[in-house]
Amino acid sequence: MRNFWIYLFLIYCSCTFSQKIMQGQIIDFDSTVPVAFAKIAYNNKIIAADWEGKFSIEIVNNNKPLVCSYKGYYDKNYYLSKDATFLLIKMIRNEVLKKTEIYSDNEVNLLIKKVIDNKPKNQPEKALSSFEYNNYEYLLVTANPDSITSKIDTIVKKRLFGGRKIKLDSSNYRYKKFIEKQHLYQIEKVNQIQHNHKGTKETVIATRMSGLKQLVYDYLGLKMISYSVYDNPMHIIEIPIINPLSSVGRKMYVFKVIDTLQIQNRSVYSVYFQPKKPNSNGLRGLLYVDAESFAIAKAFYRIYGVANINATYSFSYLKEHGIWFPEKRSFTVIKGNNSENIKLLGATIKFDASAKERLKVDASDQTYIKIESVPYDVKINQPVTFKDPKIKLEVMEDIMKKPESYWNFFKKDTVDIRKIPTYAILDSISRVENIEQKLVFGKKIINGFIPFKIVDIDLKSIIKYNNYEGFRLGIGGVTNAKLSSQYKIGFFGAYGLKDRELKYGITPSYLLDKKTNSWLSVSYSDDLNEIGQILFATQQKRFRIYDPRPINISTFYNIKTYSSFIESKYIPKVEAYFGISRSEIQPLFDYIFLTKDTMYSNYTMTTAQLSLQWNPFSGYMQTSTGRIEYEKRFPKFSFQYTKSIPNMLGNDFNFSKIDVKIAHDIPYLSGQNSSFIFQAGIATGDIPITHLYSIAPNNLNRETLLQRITFAGKNSFETMYFNEFFSNNYASFQARHTFNRVRIAYKIKPEFSIVTRLAWGNMDKPEQHQNFEYKTLDKGFIESGVEINQIYKGLGCTLFYRYGPNGLPRFEDNLALKIAYVLNLGI
């Protein structure tokens, strides 16, 4: 009997110790995105993974498989290996269901509808007459030292003439030692959020930035995620996303009730949502819905893609007001499947292109961005007043001069011993490496200027080329604030080596109002212009190391202009220009303009011009130096009206022009981008061909395709020959979609874009234009093509094909092959 009990005890121990708790995760085979709440059947038990696809299960028999199932996927039988320490189960989508949509159950669909219907009662901006609170925000760029190996790697390289060269790579070791002592970068900000019947306004009260003593406005306007969970669209890393808590979002996402629980003694539903189409890897999350008021009590959001993004919203229930009010907001960006750099105020964070494991993992891949914001001093339904409600963000003066005692109030995290050393070390690094000066220098370079003492030199004016002037050598610039902040003087001078003529101009300006960037200017210039150009006075000229279109242009006119004009941002979200000018014009080609039985080879125009740039969806920041567009959102609208002034200063013609432009960009979380441009113009009255519309042609009229190879323009018609079409009324439309860069070989990562352009135009009085041959666009013009940019060192190519009513009889004549170049300044 005694042996029997010993034998039974040994069997029990054997069974007990053969059991083990195994951790695991279920992911999509193709996208590596977790499969949330998948069912796992094992040993006659069924459990469910969490919303990150993670699970924990007790293993009693390695010979029995785990059976994983989820709607839209094939069932997966997973057999355990003896040495397994973590289970990574990859499920394959069911191709039959790949293109079908998964729908929410009626019960949860009704629940989400109630959340949407009750927004006016639950969203603080709609439910409360007013509120005001201060908000402490902390941005951190850092890494977890424990995730970085301190191993010194050995790198073997081949020598030029054979043999091997062995080098030691200690970058991971040095990075780990650095990150153990301090963070890479950190910024603190205190802002005041105010809301009343006029809208919501943010005012920055204080900030401090590690390594910087001067203010960097870019960060103050940095909003990586929307403040409200109810906003539609939501903005995540400045990309608009359809909110699942919207009528459209309810149709795009699938919802599932997971559990019922208590938050702050109130019953809430835990609801998981994900994109309705199984092949989508967009926004996912958990919503905690108040069972009584149908308000959001807590929310988690997650995105897997170019960067893995986590966002958490916490709310506090204010019983006296019957509303859930923001309590804390946190946002984290970590490594994703993106090969490009994410740049933040000069600090570069690198994410790897592949979702698969690599042979070597760089320490910098463990870097992440984290932002936390906490409201305090909340006031509800008390009188709130503020000025300029359309200016969403205002920056107070001297916000970087708060004493250390001011920030001691926010030292709530005593565990973070790396915080204080970050300020001290980066401040000293900043002084040694002149980080602030580099930031200022970099911004001016991007805009096409290089600072030199009291003058910013215009890089665009140094060297140019076209068929008429040949090489055009010159210098230009504008005085900067080191000379005066109240006035500035712009100037340029240039000389054409082929036409041997001097061109020059000067523009003194006086600052009328610093707050609205209002300047009064007078100007004189003697220069050349391309015929048929479409220019908006408010259009910002982006810097290019070269301007490709004018290289092959030979039809210019000389223009001597006296002008006076005002530029201002007085109207919120509008950049305005109004000017009066007198121009003496001489066409530099064979041309006669005939009107009222009078023939003109030279002529004078006196005109008034009003130009407006309206960006209704952008956010503007009011600073001590003026208004800044810190949230560049689309669509954007341009309007311009030009009218000649009869009988004034020798004006020869009576005419008017109306020009409009609508630009729209749609960025995607995948990193792709779609852009659209609509442009139109109407010119009425007596107006020479120099001031009509040629719609930016960019093709040489030569026999073979290879002879026509030149540089591609940004938005020009690549298959339209120079001077081929002219119109006094026109409309054009362009659509471009840019895909992610594709790694073909080492350092060869081209960016592909597909483009289509259409145009229509008409000429009302063709008999007025003598000695000049051209066609009209009354039948329309269509071209489509592919741009392959940044193949290597910024070089690329484009290929376009012309078709439709104005297609040419010979196939080769419809083709345009161009060289493209994208300059990356690395700033």
Side-chain angles (χ1 to χ4, degrees), residues 706-734:
L706 295 180
Q707 290 176 328
R708 295 194 298 271
I709 292 179
T710 182
F711 285 97
K714 175 62 176 176
N715 293 310
S716 54
F717 283 78
E718 303 297 337
T719 62
M720 185 184 292
Y721 296 109
F722 290 111
N723 301 330
E724 184 178 5
F725 299 98
F726 281 87
S727 309
N728 70 291
N729 305 319
Y730 86 99
S732 68
F733 178 76
Q734 302 188 32

Side-chain angles (χ1 to χ4, degrees), residues 32-55:
T32 71
V33 171
V35 180
F37 303 107
K39 292 182 179 179
I40 304 113
Y42 175 76
N43 197 30
N44 297 323
K45 292 183 180 180
I46 297 177
I47 63 171
D50 64 13
W51 78 298
E52 295 179 299
K54 295 179 180 179
F55 64 90

